Amino acid sequence: MTDTDLQSIEPRTAAPALGQSRPWRTAGRTIAAAVEAVAPDFPRLDAATRRVVLTDVAAFTASQVDAMPEHLRYLYRLALIAFEWLAVLRFGRPFTALDGDRRRTWVDFWTESPLAASRNFVKLIRSCTLLAFYDHPAVRDPLERQASRTTGSTVAIP
Amino acid sequence: MTIGSGVPAGGQGFAVENLVVGSGAGGAVTAAALAEAGREVLLLEEGPATDTSRVATNSTAAIAHLYRNRGMTPIFGRQAIVYVEGRCVGGSTEINSGLWHRLPDDAYQRWRSDVLLRNFSPDVMTPYFERIERDLSVSLVPDGQIPASSRLFRRGIERLGWDYQQVPRCQKDGGSQFAPGAKQSMQRTYIPRAVAAGARLLADTKATRLVIEGDRVVGVQVLQHPHGARRRFEIRAATVFLCGGAVQTPALLRRSGVKRNVGDSLRIHPMIKAAALFDEEIEAHDDALPVYQVKEFWPTITMGGAVFTPGFLAMTLADGWKAYRDAMHDWPRMGLYYAGTRAMVRGSVRVLRGFDDGVVIRYRLSEADRANLSTGLGLLGELLFAAGARAVYPSLAGAPILRSVDQCRGLVKEPIPLAAMALSNVHAFSSCPMGENRDVCATDSFGKVRGLRNLYVNDASLIPDAPGVNPQGTTMAIALRNSEHFLHLRRSFPARARPAAAARPAHLLTGAPGWLGTRLAEALTLGLPGVPSAATPRNSGLRCLVRPADDARDLERLSESLTVAPGDLTDAASLRDFCRNAEGATLFHVAGLVHPRLWTRDFDRINVEGTRALLAAAEEAGVKRAVIVSSNSPIGCNPPVPGHVFDESSPYDPYMGYGRSKARMEALVHAIQARGRLETVIIRPPWFYGPHQPPRQTLFFTMIKDGKFPVLGDGTQRRSMAYVDNICQGLLLAAETPHANGETYWIADARPYSINEIVATVTEVLESFGFVCEQRQMRLPRAAGELARRIDAALQSVGVYRQKIHVLGEMHQSIACSIAKAERDLGYAPTIALREGMTASVEWCLANGHRI
Ligand SMILES: Cc1cc2nc3c(=O)[nH]c(=O)nc-3n(C[C@H](O)[C@H](O)[C@H](O)COP(=O)(O)OP(=O)(O)OC[C@H]3O[C@@H](n4cnc5c(N)ncnc54)[C@H](O)[C@@H]3O)c2cc1C
């Protein structure tokens, strides 16, 4: 499978740049796909907004990986490659070529793994995604509107 | 702010007087103090000069621009801990909550005894805290502005009847207390002050390595990276202050080869968070910073509120996301809180070769830390339910939502596995602790790095252990104290040029900056921790006679009350200057000649005639008492009687030229004392050892390490030895005990040691420092010692002195004394024995660049 194949299958969230060489470009797409898999569905956003938000969130997450101390960054990128290609053993396709449900299954598999390293790998992507998603300016309004508010008067706090 | 002004473009180096590395809490204060004292200062900052008055501290933009590694720094250990620190002009003070604490009282006592921290008490430190508090407008948030999340928290605490505190913040009055720019960070306080006083600020420039020549740092290699461009150059500096924070400072030192006690004792305050769902709408987002902390379980456990945004809330829920995610619907009714502990073990900071930023932080939480974090979380849950929470979401992997107090109590009863905890940390310290305990401290009590004359640490790394409170206040107060101490010593530099007669000294001292003389000067000006009768400094004016060719700078730095009188025992006029105006003073005459270069006649010239001229000048000036250091040599060696020790009634039997000169000196002293114008006390210390030792004593260590120390005979011959602090104690007691006038005292360690014991102890001590030692020493027959003694005697009879032959000639003999008279008359009680003293000596050698 070539890079072009991968892009044509999952073009929904633009892949952030993560280094210039080919494996790192692929890793950027892995991050974008993983961000989509873990992104929350509350609050509901219209498709265009969600796309913009997830693109920003993926860029934020990729730059977080890029900001790791050098020695860890290389390890994490290797983990991204493993995450991408080990999916072939289970689904016959790399992670970025899977549909949404399978991606989520693969993410859950890593999240629930007995190996701390694989849990931590997903945790980083999930934490960055949640932070950037919920603090995204375009999410603020829907978040305010769709929050479950208390009915009646607010209890006074002494 | 002037950024980069006066700095040449094009990557070539330049020179400054004071280079301050890092512009956070420690660096900004240091730069301002130095600049305002008129010193030239360059403040170097690795991070960008982003104006934080417009950046909310809790946004993803702040993370991107102000946080080191964008917050992606792990601490490795049994469970990874997320570590956050600032990397921008202003350092962590730009991203922190600005909660202000003074150092708790218990820490002063602990640090005095654990790390032997000098001149550090509430009395000394309170004025520094007060000044900084004024500068940072430290104040309490007015009642009307306390955020709802904090008010709920207080409601819970009060219902449980727990002890708590409203913590003041560094904040400007007026407007929202929580608005960006309200917090009085370094960008709004000390950095502009430093710049206004002439300091230059160079942002986007990282110090990558110190350039060290001998015992000095001559410059710093830097990497400048504005907007992605990279250039490397070197900045030469007369003095360097490292203020990069508790992780980066030890990393820079270690990368530069300075490793002793550096990065070995990192301490942190790890914490675990929980979100709580209330009935009330809290609207905790954006700028609502917390203000209360629970003190009921302090210092082991502290609890408080955490900064809230929907993003931070979601991150806290991330570990149990599947179970917790619906909580996001209720985010306006949720608050974020933490439980933290003062973790008790020591972590480390190490650097990986070949990486610019290859810093590895390790911290292995103990079982007690685990239990404390778990208990803290359980108690926090209990508090939140007492505050009215409907549900509590602990930041734990795979944990259920807590819906009752009983569930919380379960966390106290059965500690949670570390692997389930999502831990973070924003407080780091103690990686280069300050103090006089050379076992653990990287710097002296004022941040000067051991073994380097012009390198200082002045940031959170110095804090000796985890203080249990937010550390910015302590970091800044220590930085201000140390900066002013440094300036104070600089101001005493002109002392060299001051006429010796200018002030009336209480003490006169010869023999500094030599071995014992320097230690005694330290005892008089700083006190000797661990030696009860010498612990308090006698800071009432010390004048030291220093030969013009000697470097007295370290001596002058000891105290402003110390002045230097250039002079020589062979120059009577200089001795009169030295004693001028010293009526009523005490003279310590420590100077003497032990090993002349070649001619034995120098013994008399210095030890006898020099003493005669000195005591004459002292008599003339009205000096009250002279305490004179003699030696074991006037009494010679013990007779071959098992267990024989000399006492003060033992007859004179001078050993060679040195012994004869000291015997004549003692006779001279007795004659002067008999005239009744000058009180005298003679102190006889045998072979001494301890800090400030000369190279010949270091050679002794090297010989033992290499198995080349000559043990003559069976090695059972005994030697009295005297650790320098014990001698200083004896000298001070001799000076201050009225009835000691006219007396002579042996001053030594509590008992004599056999040569075998001395060698074995030094070997063990060296091995404890990681030296690989030969287990067998060079064994020679006693006759070899006797032969050397005869050759020495023959050479000295024609006026020639050879040190090695002389020393070998003594090695087969016992020289052992009793200190009973000093114990009885003076209350002398040696506090340090062989192993401890040798350990301190080896440490001193290592810290001062002696090669063993
Ligand atoms: C999120 C957060 C919240 C906190 N909240 C509080 C609080 O409410 N109250 C409190 O008392 N404390 C708080 N702290 C801790 C407090 O901010 C720090 O203890 C204090 O700032 C430490 O000061 P420092 O000078 O040692 O280091 P810092 O303030 O971190 O400054 C170090 C500076 O040096 C720079 N630097 C490092 N290495 C180099 C190099 N090689 N070359 C050039 N520059 C370099 C760094 O970029 C940084 O700007 C908090 C910390 C954080 C991170």
Side-chain angles (χ1 to χ4, degrees), chain B residues 20-28 44-48 66-68 83-101 167 169-170 186 202 205-209 220 222 242-249 252 255 271 293 425-429 458-461 463 469-476:
Chain B
V20 180
V21 177
S23 65
L44 204 69
E45 171 53 54
E46 175 185 353
L66 311 178
Y67 286 41
R68 177 169 304 279
Y83 172 61
V84 173
E85 65 179 21
R87 181 184 159 278
C88 59
V89 169
S92 301
T93 71
E94 304 303 326
I95 63 169
N96 72 15
S97 305
L99 295 170
W100 182 267
H101 281 277
V167 185
R169 298 187 61 232
C170 322
M186 295 306 104
L202 194 54
T205 309
K206 173 177 179 159
T208 53
R209 195 178 284 271
V220 173
V222 303
L242 299 184
C243 309
V247 170
Q248 299 305 317
T249 288
L252 177 57
R255 205 177 287 126
M271 60 182 173
Q293 284 178 351
N425 179 68
V426 295
H427 298 166
F429 16 69
N458 218 13
D459 60 18
S461 329
I463 297 178
V469 295
N470 305 56
Q472 181 186 332
T474 303
T475 305
M476 294 182 75

Side-chain angles (χ1 to χ4, degrees), chain B residues 518-546:
Chain B
T518 301
R519 196 60 178 164
L520 184 57
E522 287 179 352
L524 287 165
T525 53
L526 303 174
L528 292 181
V531 183
S533 53
T536 337
R538 274 75 167 167
N539 250 336
S540 41
L542 169 63
R543 187 185 293 161
C544 300
L545 181 75
V546 175

Side-chain angles (χ1 to χ4, degrees), chain B residues 380-669:
Chain B
L380 176 63
E382 203 173 330
L383 186 163
L384 293 171
F385 281 114
R390 291 272 154 246
V392 172
Y393 302 77
S395 194
L396 295 174
I401 300 168
L402 304 178
R403 301 215 179 261
S404 71
V405 174
D406 283 346
Q407 274 178 295
C408 300
R409 292 192 180 137
L411 300 178
V412 179
K413 279 196 207 122
E414 187 57 49
I416 312 152
L418 272 178
M421 295 186 192
L423 299 172
S424 57
N425 179 68
V426 295
H427 298 166
F429 16 69
S430 317
S431 51
C432 308
M434 60 176 185
E436 303 307 315
N437 183 342
R438 287 154 192 262
D439 264 348
V440 290
C441 297
T443 78
D444 71 6
S445 292
F446 295 93
K448 182 170 161 301
V449 176
R450 292 229 152 74
L452 290 162
R453 301 167 72 92
N454 60 338
L455 180 64
Y456 294 79
V457 171
N458 218 13
D459 60 18
S461 329
L462 292 178
I463 297 178
D465 67 22
V469 295
N470 305 56
Q472 181 186 332
T474 303
T475 305
M476 294 182 75
I478 289 175
L480 184 57
R481 160 195 180 260
N482 292 358
S483 305
E484 296 201 341
H485 179 78
F486 170 82
L487 288 165
H488 174 82
L489 296 180
R490 291 287 141 142
R491 273 198 291 274
S492 75
F493 266 171
R496 219 169 149 69
R498 274 206 298 271
R504 179 184 293 274
H507 297 106
L508 300 171
L509 171 64
T510 70
W515 186 1
L516 179 57
T518 301
R519 196 60 178 164
L520 184 57
E522 287 179 352
L524 287 165
T525 53
L526 303 174
L528 292 181
V531 183
S533 53
T536 337
R538 274 75 167 167
N539 250 336
S540 41
L542 169 63
R543 187 185 293 161
C544 300
L545 181 75
V546 175
R547 284 180 304 180
D550 285 346
D551 183 354
R553 275 176 298 178
D554 279 346
L555 199 59
E556 285 173 312
R557 282 194 196 106
L558 286 177
S559 163
E560 200 176 22
S561 67
L562 184 154
T563 55
V564 164
D568 195 308
L569 285 176
T570 57
D571 173 2
S574 73
L575 297 177
R576 279 194 294 277
D577 274 351
F578 171 56
C579 293
R580 184 160 300 141
N581 254 351
E583 197 180 336
T586 301
L587 163 68
F588 292 98
H589 179 32
V590 175
L593 183 68
V594 185
H595 298 292
R597 274 193 192 186
L598 187 59
W599 304 113
T600 52
R601 61 171 179 260
D602 290 341
F603 283 133
D604 274 1
R605 210 165 53 87
I606 305 295
N607 297 342
V608 185
E609 298 313 319
T611 303
R612 188 191 307 279
L614 175 69
L615 296 188
E619 254 187 327
E620 195 183 311
V623 169
K624 183 163 191 284
R625 177 173 287 196
V627 180
I628 293 127
V629 174
S630 180
S631 155
N632 54 275
S633 291
I635 312 303
C637 305
N638 297 98
V641 176
H644 182 272
V645 285
F646 293 125
D647 62 19
E648 287 74 3
S649 63
S650 301
Y652 282 100
D653 181 15
Y655 187 75
M656 306 281 170
Y658 176 66
R660 283 189 290 274
S661 71
K662 284 289 185 181
R664 278 200 285 275
M665 182 193 81
E666 288 195 9
L668 168 79
V669 171

